[in-house]
Amino acid sequence: MRTDSPQHLDPGSEGDPSYLESLIRDDYGQCHPGETLDDLKRRASFSKEDRGLLRDWMAVAAARATMGRPR
């Protein structure tokens, strides 16, 4: 088995970034009025603080995915 080939994830799997983002997108918007998760993702590319905030939100999403409940 090759180890350098990209991993393909099933849609809706716990490791799929778009699925994980879907689990937190609404809550992020409620906690940060006037901002979107996409805004945070853009800022995270150049801001250490926003990278940490995004990492924390994605950890919440991963926990939700693992527990099998979106909220």
Side-chain angles (χ1 to χ4, degrees), residues 21 24 28 37-38 40-45 47-61:
E21 290 169 10
I24 58 171
Y28 181 83
L37 187 59
D38 291 329
L40 175 62
K41 288 170 46 181
R42 272 190 295 282
R43 289 192 317 267
S45 66
S47 167
K48 181 178 179 180
E49 291 80 10
D50 286 327
R51 248 188 322 276
L53 183 59
L54 179 59
R55 182 186 59 241
D56 292 347
W57 275 99
M58 293 304 286
V60 169

Side-chain angles (χ1 to χ4, degrees), residues 29-42:
Q30 289 179 1
C31 291
H32 301 274
E35 286 189 31
T36 66
L37 187 59
D38 291 329
D39 295 334
L40 175 62
K41 288 170 46 181
R42 272 190 295 282

Side-chain angles (χ1 to χ4, degrees), residues 3 5 12 20-23 27 36 43-44 47 54 61 68 70:
T3 59
S5 63
L20 293 176
E21 290 169 10
S22 75
L23 298 177
D27 289 335
T36 66
R43 289 192 317 267
S47 167
L54 179 59

